[in-house]
């Protein structure tokens, strides 16, 4: 699997950390039964609480020079960001009771890719024939490729984040068919027959590529205090998992395919509808 890092890690300290995520993420999870994209370990159904939402909220934070921070209540499964923890639980960034703290870096690991048919759209105007014999008309049909992304958890994904994940970095099985931010359009003219008392239009069904990524979290520090002092380790809950993800949280990038010649890939069809017989010549 391929790891896709976020270009929005702007701070200088994040460059080295992102590199470490790419390398260690591929190695983490060796020897485990649940290694997933980029070697990350799936914690969904293993740790308490809604881990899909936890990873989504953790990785939606603005990345600082030292990474992103989170707190997990291991009794209840409640998750808090660093700001929420300092406000609601303890005024210092120190573990307290069932609250365990962690710091690290987020990345985006390609999980799978597949092809689908997009929604059929009308690409020409309707032209009607109210006569009693076939008619022929020239149809002008135009279309521009579409690109969008969606998340399985949380609100909508920002365009800037989607661009940083998918633009020109996927490769592999996506290949030339992946059209993210490679807009293509066409305009065609074709003569078509319109039967009596019918109207005709041209439609386009785009062929699309879906690329799914799982957000992953690489652990730098993990802390707890069970009453005998703070303890810091460098894997998730001291289990040896350096990179984790939650299987139910993913981001899908969907884009129309583009053929090697630069044209959109899809199917054109002619569609007909009946007109009101009272408006047509008998």
């Amino acid at each position: 699997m391929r790891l896709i890092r976020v270009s929005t890690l702007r701070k200088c300290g994040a460059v080295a950390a992102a590199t470490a995520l790419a390398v260690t993420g591929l190695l983490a999870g060796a020897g485990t039964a649940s290694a997933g994209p980029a070697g990350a370990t799936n914690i969904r159904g293993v740790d308490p609480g809604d881990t899909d939402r936890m990873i989504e909220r953790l990785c939606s934070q603005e990345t600082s020079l030292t990474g992103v921070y989170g707190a997990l209540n291991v009794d209840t499964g409640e998750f808090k960001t660093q700001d929420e923890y300092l406000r609601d639980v303890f005024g210092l960034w120190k573990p307290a009771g069932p609250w365990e703290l962690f710091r690290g870096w987020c990345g985006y690991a390609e999980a799978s890719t597949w092809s689908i048919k997009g929604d059929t759209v009308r690409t020409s105007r309707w032209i009607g024939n109210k006569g009693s014999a076939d008619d022929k008309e020239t149809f002008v049909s135009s279309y521009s490729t579409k690109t969008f992304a969606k998340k399985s958890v949380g609100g909508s994904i920002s365009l800037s984040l989607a661009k940083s994940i998918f633009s020109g970095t996927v490769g592999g099985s996506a290949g030339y068919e992946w059209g993210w931010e490679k807009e293509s359009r066409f305009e065609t003219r074709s003569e078509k027959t319109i039967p009596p008392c019918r109207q005709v239009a041209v439609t386009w069904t785009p062929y699309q590529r879906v690329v799914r990524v799982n957000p992953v979290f690489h652990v730098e520090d993990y802390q707890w205090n069970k009453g005998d002092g703070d303890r810091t380790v460098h894997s998730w809950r001291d289990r040896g998992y350096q990179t984790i993800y939650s299987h139910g949280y993913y981001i899908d990038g969907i884009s129309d395919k583009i053929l090697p010649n630069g044209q959109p890939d899809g199917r054109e069809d002619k569609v007909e509808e009946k007109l009101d017989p009272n408006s047509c010549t008998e």
Side-chain angles (χ1 to χ4, degrees):
M1 294 299 179
R2 183 164 181 163
L3 185 66
I4 306 171
R5 294 184 298 276
V6 185
S7 62
T8 50
L9 298 181
R10 304 179 187 89
K11 313 291 186 180
C12 59
V15 176
T19 303
L21 176 59
V23 176
T24 58
L26 292 170
L27 299 176
T32 66
S34 55
T41 299
N42 179 27
I43 62 169
R44 192 173 197 242
V46 177
D47 284 314
D50 184 346
T51 54
D52 293 346
R53 182 63 171 154
M54 180 186 77
I55 296 295
E56 191 271 337
R57 294 192 62 220
L58 176 67
C59 293
S60 293
Q61 298 177 91
E62 182 74 19
T63 304
S64 71
L65 281 170
T66 50
V68 294
Y69 293 75
L72 175 66
N73 187 313
V74 295
D75 288 347
T76 66
E78 184 180 5
F79 168 80
K80 289 186 181 293
T81 64
Q82 185 181 42
D83 289 344
E84 292 168 344
Y85 182 83
L86 294 174
R87 181 192 67 203
D88 302 335
V89 181
F90 194 29
L92 299 174
W93 188 245
K94 293 173 65 67
W99 288 96
E100 299 182 354
L101 312 182
F102 40 94
R103 174 184 70 89
W105 307 91
C106 290
Y108 296 86
E110 183 182 335
S112 57
T113 178
W114 64 93
S115 296
I116 61 172
K117 287 183 180 180
D119 294 335
T120 298
V121 295
R122 181 165 57 86
T123 54
S124 76
R125 66 185 181 93
W126 288 102
I127 301 180
N129 175 13
K130 295 184 178 181
S132 58
D134 286 351
D135 190 12
K136 289 185 181 293
E137 292 285 349
T138 298
F139 288 78
V140 178
S141 177
S142 59
Y143 180 79
S144 297
T145 53
K146 307 294 189 296
T147 299
F148 59 99
K150 59 184 180 180
K151 296 162 57 177
S152 64
V153 174
S156 60
I157 183 171
S158 71
L159 181 60
S160 61
L161 176 57
K163 285 180 178 179
S164 67
I165 294 172
F166 294 109
S167 296
T169 59
V170 177
S173 59
Y176 67 82
E177 297 174 321
W178 181 245
W180 190 271
E181 281 209 307
K182 298 176 182 178
E183 184 182 32
S184 179
R185 62 180 66 235
F186 67 75
E187 182 173 291
T188 61
R189 294 174 180 269
S190 58
E191 187 176 72
K192 299 189 184 301
T193 298
I194 309 174
C197 209
R198 296 285 194 276
Q199 64 176 359
V200 167
V202 177
T203 64
W204 178 259
T205 302
Y207 298 153
Q208 297 177 326
R209 171 71 70 185
V210 181
V211 174
R212 174 165 294 180
V213 300
N214 283 117
V216 299
F217 176 69
H218 176 75
V219 181
E220 290 289 343
D221 301 309
Y222 193 100
Q223 297 179 295
W224 69 83
N225 187 328
K226 302 303 181 185
D228 54 356
D230 294 354
R231 183 177 176 191
T232 301
V233 295
H234 303 288
S235 65
W236 182 256
R237 306 196 67 189
D238 202 24
R239 296 175 185 159
Y241 310 157
Q242 283 195 301
T243 308
I244 62 169
Y245 78 110
S246 187
H247 182 71
Y249 174 41
Y250 52 83
I251 299 171
D252 286 346
I254 302 99
S255 178
D256 289 2
K257 290 183 181 181
I258 296 178
L259 296 170
N261 64 4
Q263 292 297 306
D265 191 6
R267 189 188 73 233
E268 182 180 275
D269 291 294
K270 168 187 169 182
V271 292
E272 294 183 11
E273 286 186 356
K274 292 181 179 180
L275 294 174
D276 180 358
N278 294 327
S279 68
C280 300
T281 302
E282 294 183 3

